[in-house]
Amino acid sequence: MDGVGSFGAGRTGSTIDPISFAKQPQTILRVLSWIFSLVVFASIVNEGYVNMGSERLHCIFNKNADACNYGVFVGLVGLLACSFFFLLDYKFASISSVKDRKKAIMVEIGFSGFWAFLYFVSFCFLANQWSQTMADELPLNQGADAARAAIAFSFFSIITWAGLTVRAVQKYLLGTDMTLFTTEHMDGGAPTQPYPSNSPVGETTETSETYQSPPFTENNAAPTYQVPIY
């Protein structure tokens, strides 16, 4: 994993190099997932419904509207999620709280793993319905390329989302280098600077002062009594 510090990121407030960020494997996987989700979504929306001799549009996947709706849902939500997590990856190093970083990683692990599973279901569902689609149901092979594209990129999305899940788990297992964070960072607050010492450099100051009672002087002695002379 690249980077040092908390959960694979650099020190809090460190500058982000756009070129290095773009070359990270996680960024590449994120961009590929975004493109694949866009293809799945756009293929079904644009050419996933055909008119088969009637005014009503039918889904090209065996006239099963659930197949088209599921593919559109998985592709659209995956597209939006990729955009959100891309921004989160870019801003991750600026998150000062270790607890917030941990929560972000756990959300990413859960969502990426779950969406890899949904794309697996999408691939199986669409491939099964497409295999049952008769050739005479698609005049002039209409929408066939879009259907194949949705199936193929659903399969590719399984790989990219699974890769994102593995990368997130690796970041989580890196844990936290606690030497990079103060108590205020752990609590989510802003770090505070200690007050500077007024003593010169090289000199030590005493932390406590011992109480010394003032020495007894002759002035403090009680007056002596003299017998009057008559």
Side-chain angles (χ1 to χ4, degrees):
M1 293 293 291
D2 302 330
V4 294
S6 176
F7 299 105
R11 295 175 180 268
T12 303
S14 58
T15 58
I16 301 175
D17 184 9
I19 298 178
S20 300
F21 175 77
K23 293 181 179 180
Q24 292 180 359
Q26 182 171 342
T27 304
I28 297 174
L29 288 173
R30 192 82 68 194
V31 174
L32 290 177
S33 297
W34 189 90
I35 295 174
F36 295 164
S37 296
L38 178 62
V39 172
V40 173
F41 170 74
S43 297
I44 298 177
V45 170
N46 292 332
E47 300 182 35
Y49 297 89
V50 294
N51 187 341
M52 302 177 183
S54 63
E55 297 181 355
R56 182 179 179 182
L57 296 177
H58 298 276
C59 177
I60 58 176
F61 294 99
N62 197 28
K63 297 183 180 180
N64 190 343
D66 293 335
C68 288
N69 293 337
Y70 184 84
V72 170
F73 168 76
V74 174
L76 178 59
V77 177
L79 182 68
L80 298 176
C82 285
S83 302
F84 170 77
F85 283 112
F86 182 84
L87 295 177
L88 182 62
D89 292 338
Y90 190 78
K91 296 293 185 180
F92 189 78
S94 62
I95 300 177
S96 60
S97 173
V98 177
K99 293 181 179 180
D100 292 341
R101 286 190 178 189
K102 184 177 180 180
K103 291 178 182 178
I105 292 296
M106 293 181 67
V107 170
E108 182 179 359
I109 293 174
F111 186 90
S112 298
F114 181 63
W115 226 249
F117 171 75
L118 290 187
Y119 264 116
F120 173 77
V121 175
S122 175
F123 169 74
C124 295
F125 188 21
L126 296 181
N128 176 264
Q129 293 299 309
W130 179 246
S131 65
Q132 298 179 16
T133 304
M134 305 302 295
D136 55 357
E137 295 179 355
L138 299 177
L140 301 178
N141 208 23
Q142 184 179 2
D145 293 337
R148 297 188 185 98
I151 296 172
F153 283 94
S154 293
F155 176 78
F156 297 151
S157 296
I158 300 173
I159 301 175
T160 55
W161 282 99
L164 289 172
T165 305
V166 173
R167 293 290 298 183
V169 171
Q170 290 177 345
K171 290 171 63 177
Y172 181 81
L173 294 178
L174 283 177
T176 305
D177 184 1
M178 303 307 295
T179 60
L180 300 178
F181 293 85
T182 62
T183 304
E184 288 78 8
H185 281 119
M186 291 296 295
D187 295 334
T192 56
Q193 297 293 334
Y195 291 102
S197 175
N198 293 327
S199 60
V201 178
E203 294 184 2
T204 58
T205 58
E206 296 181 357
T207 58
S208 62
E209 297 181 358
T210 57
Y211 175 76
Q212 296 180 355
S213 60
F216 291 99
T217 59
E218 295 181 355
N219 295 331
N220 295 335
T224 57
Y225 178 75
Q226 297 180 358
V227 180
I229 303 174
Y230 297 97

